[in-house]
Amino acid sequence: MTQCSTNTDLIVTDLGGTMVRTDDAILAAVRQAATELGIPDGHPDPVYGVFGTSIWQYIHAWLPDGHKDRTDACHERFWELFPHAVLDQIGAFDGVEEALVELKRRGLRVAVLSGLKIESIERIVATFRFQDWDAVRSSMPLKTAADSRAEGIKRLVEEFGVAPQRTIYIGDTDHDVRQARQAGVRAAVVKTGGQARKHLHKIEAEQPDHLLASWPDLLNVVAACVVIVGCLMGLAGCASSAGRQARKYLVAPTVLPGVEAEMQTAGFWIGRLAEPDRVILSEDEIDELNDDIRTRLQLTKDIAKFPREFDGPELRAILQCELDSFRARTLYGADGRKVGESFYTSVEESMRLASIDARIHVRFALVVCNADQRLLPTAEGLYAEAGDVDFDEAQNSALDIGTPVAILHASADGRWLYALGPSSDGWIEGQKLALCSQEQLRDMMNRPFITVVRAKGDVCLDAKLTQHYGFVRMGSKLPLAEDSDGDFVAVLLPTRREEGTVQVQTGYLKRRETVAGNLSYTPRHIIEQAFEMLDTPYGWGGANGQQDCSQFVQEVFATVGIQMPRNSSDQARVGRMQKCFEPDDSDEDKLEAVLTHAIPGVTVLHTKGHVMLYVGDVAGRPYAIHCVWAYREPGSDADVIRVINRVAVTDLHLGEGSRVGSLLRRLKSIREIAPVPQQ
């Protein structure tokens, strides 16, 4: 499931290698300048290693040994030739101008920041049909790039008065990623430049926030931040609802194509492993991974340490953008009628955006029952298709009992509270939260705890387990209340007093549904936990107490203490990249990569908007377990959609021959859930 509660205000983009083909033109101008100066030919390979720095560095790298002292002279002649002498070798990449038009239509500001001379930049962008730039700037230093690009980004952020976290810098090199990081903005790399073609591993090692195959993919990144992206991924589980048209839906068979009955047990896959009980990460290493997810990737939050003040204009912009994104879409209510402007006017009045102060005093709370987290302060469903009630576009996530949150705002009637959770943000009904101090929250979170290891664990108010209170899902953690020897464990249970504050009571769960602390991170435990969820229903955004593809993965890894982010696009950034695929990579290459690099119970596989847990292969056919809504199979005149609607084991050839292709065809990356090696 791909959602985001933040927005993007500013795109700052590099020019050469990012928007336009300049590699050949630059090398041609360098070669011509050197030839005119009587310098022998150099070699282009060293140049790709310094791409993203400066033209002076390119020339210095290109010149052969014994002639590098001529760099200044060659640099001067280069600028007499570039770009006019090689303009016929410069052209925009496919989709760039269309993407720029769409970005502007969505209200974003777009600025060019290049290491070329300003005259050269202006000459090149003048060849574009698109001319609606908000700024065109040069970061050209005298000789070396140093930190000039980062400084240029910072100046643009300051000039436009936007937040760095709402700015994306898009380039095509590892240097561009580092400069974006130094400027404090999000880094995107489009794999169009020479370095991406020849040294992609250098870019991947820098862990850009967004690694794009082409410019149109940037629209998906921005869409994930300014509009709500739906979930059908060509029907495998999570992707855009925009493509959901009237099609023929059939129920999938109980045992899916390519799957044998014995494959639907954890033991089958564990028995095929040489070392199923090998500890993948120690507790300290898991802490290191969680810290990386929280601090470097900034995909989760530690609510116990959350600041007690929040910027009011930032919150107002987030909420306004969320509302505007819904207004821009055609959506339907539960009655099948198109949602009109009167609905959004009512929601906007409820949001009280004008009342948000410049500095917000943050309140804290604990979730007291399973709570839906909404993107708007309303329980009314919003659907991309009339009658498509399984996919409520306003549903963001669902939080379990004991989840800590930071409250920033309340609706006009006080029914809804806008709260930040550890891995997702949104509106929660106030009656499902109990207010507490941050100190109380810390006390609850720092105690010894139990972890739920079944798909759901029942919570009762008595040791005989007869007074049912609610349920918690796999991976949920509750602080221990006392030691006990019976068939139950006693926990500290946050409940809500009538006035809305927390009252901690003793709750009870079946011992067999929990473990003390976390499970150890082994392939056996991950596979066993995943199969505990087998056949549990699919729930878009965690609706109805269920889970979607990314929440399934989040819950499984939570049992070993790994705090995965909530959404599949964010999960695709966690851990070690084993393989990243190009759109034109063959199925054979992808199959070989999976069989070579994927580790059962440790590796997650990503397609667009969907995530799966790899469990192994049989006779060279790879298999995964995932929470999946449907798949396609070819029909006589159109694809037939087979609805699975549950956690299932499938092979990666599922969907083969359909219009959108198999899971293997759509595979984008292979990641091992382990810390990224330090450089």
Side-chain angles (χ1 to χ4, degrees), residues 51-69:
F51 263 21
T53 55
S54 71
I55 295 296
W56 192 95
Q57 292 281 24
Y58 298 178
I59 295 170
H60 188 75
W62 187 85
L63 292 178
D65 290 338
H67 296 274
K68 294 189 183 294
D69 60 339

Side-chain angles (χ1 to χ4, degrees), residues 14 46-59 61 114-116 139-141 143-146 148-149 173-176 178-179 195:
D14 182 30
V47 180
Y48 293 114
V50 296
F51 263 21
T53 55
S54 71
I55 295 296
W56 192 95
Q57 292 281 24
Y58 298 178
I59 295 170
S114 170
L116 300 175
S139 63
M140 181 184 170
K143 291 186 178 180
T144 61
S148 61
R149 195 70 57 90
T173 70
D174 58 338
H175 179 79
D176 291 329
R178 290 191 294 272
Q179 292 293 288
Q195 188 185 63

